[in-house]
Amino acid sequence: GAGVSQSPRYKVAKRGQDVALRCDPISGHVSLFWYQQALGQGPEFLTYFQNEAQLDKSGLPSDRFFAERPEGSVSTLKIQRTQQEDSAVYLCASSHKSTSGIFQETQYFGPGTRLLVL
Amino acid sequence: AQRVTQPEKLLSVFKGAPVELKCNYSYSGSPELFWYVQYSRQRLQLLLRHISRESIKGFTADLNKGETSFHLKKPFAQEEDSAMYYCALTPSYSGAGSYQLTFGKGTKLSVIP
């Protein structure tokens, strides 16, 4: 079936502009994660949803970052008043079921959105 | 705090030579360890996880709790193994919390024909 999809694939923004990044998880996947990957670094956790509930947003770097998943499916990561340090690849991942068990389900990653802030 | 360290940014080996990608971790509890791979122009994908004890594409990794290591090994490298490799960990059980992955910075493996 279809994997995780993200749009847009590339986004160029002027400093101060607001951007919205979309993630379509695999159908039926309960858990959804956002990661930020700066150049030359590994992905870093931003936030986690279980269905529509945002259970962990400890990785969001500032209050300019906001994520939502209102119907428990598609998620949007919004960055307000973008800064140059926000330039990165933003990855979305989803996994099959609630992470309340003993071992986590495999996370499946989307292709990422490459954001460049000028 | 949990941390994953991959000491090599780049590793070049000749085709047919053995490969070992190093990964060390620090975590106070009992972690679950993973290797993810990203081939050129493809998305990040799971290669293997320690709990499965599988060999995928000839790669194996053994969790050494004493040395807090999870090195990735393959006896004979192939050209198609050239890719970016990330070691990652997550808590084995986090209650109501998330199973966020903590990644290392990655090692780029280049297999020379």
Side-chain angles (χ1 to χ4, degrees), chain B residues 14-103:
Chain B
F14 285 100
K15 178 182 172 182
V19 174
E20 183 178 51
L21 298 169
K22 290 186 166 49
C23 172
N24 289 88
Y25 67 90
S26 64
Y27 181 66
S28 56
S30 180
E32 190 172 352
L33 274 296
F34 305 81
W35 277 99
Y36 276 80
V37 61
Q38 188 167 26
Y39 301 102
S40 179
R41 296 198 180 96
Q42 293 188 27
R43 63 187 65 191
L44 200 58
Q45 58 186 282
L46 179 67
L47 179 63
L48 57 79
R49 57 200 297 176
H50 90 270
I51 206 143
S52 303
R53 297 184 174 273
E54 293 175 300
S55 172
I56 306 292
K57 299 185 179 182
F59 284 97
T60 58
D62 289 320
L63 179 60
N64 185 323
K65 291 185 179 179
E67 296 182 359
T68 59
S69 68
F70 188 57
H71 303 326
L72 184 67
K73 299 177 183 179
K74 184 171 183 177
F76 308 104
Q78 303 298 315
E79 287 179 65
E80 55 266 28
D81 296 330
S82 295
M84 196 75 188
Y85 291 80
Y86 295 94
C87 183
L89 75 75
T90 193
S92 290
Y93 179 68
S94 68
S98 73
Y99 285 85
Q100 69 212 56
L101 289 161
T102 298
F103 287 89

Side-chain angles (χ1 to χ4, degrees), chain A residues 1-6 23-35 69 90-97 99 104-112, chain B residues 34 36-37 43-47 49 52 54 99 101 103:
Chain A
V4 178
S5 61
Q6 293 185 244
C23 171
D24 280 87
I26 294 172
S27 178
H29 276 195
V30 168
S31 299
L32 186 146
F33 301 80
W34 283 98
Y35 294 87
R69 193 186 184 197
Y90 290 85
L91 296 170
C92 175
S94 69
S95 64
H96 178 59
K97 62 185 181 185
T99 56
Q104 73 143 306
E105 296 292 319
T106 297
Q107 291 185 30
Y108 295 89
F109 283 81
Chain B
F34 305 81
Y36 276 80
V37 61
R43 63 187 65 191
L44 200 58
Q45 58 186 282
L46 179 67
L47 179 63
R49 57 200 297 176
S52 303
E54 293 175 300
Y99 285 85
L101 289 161
F103 287 89

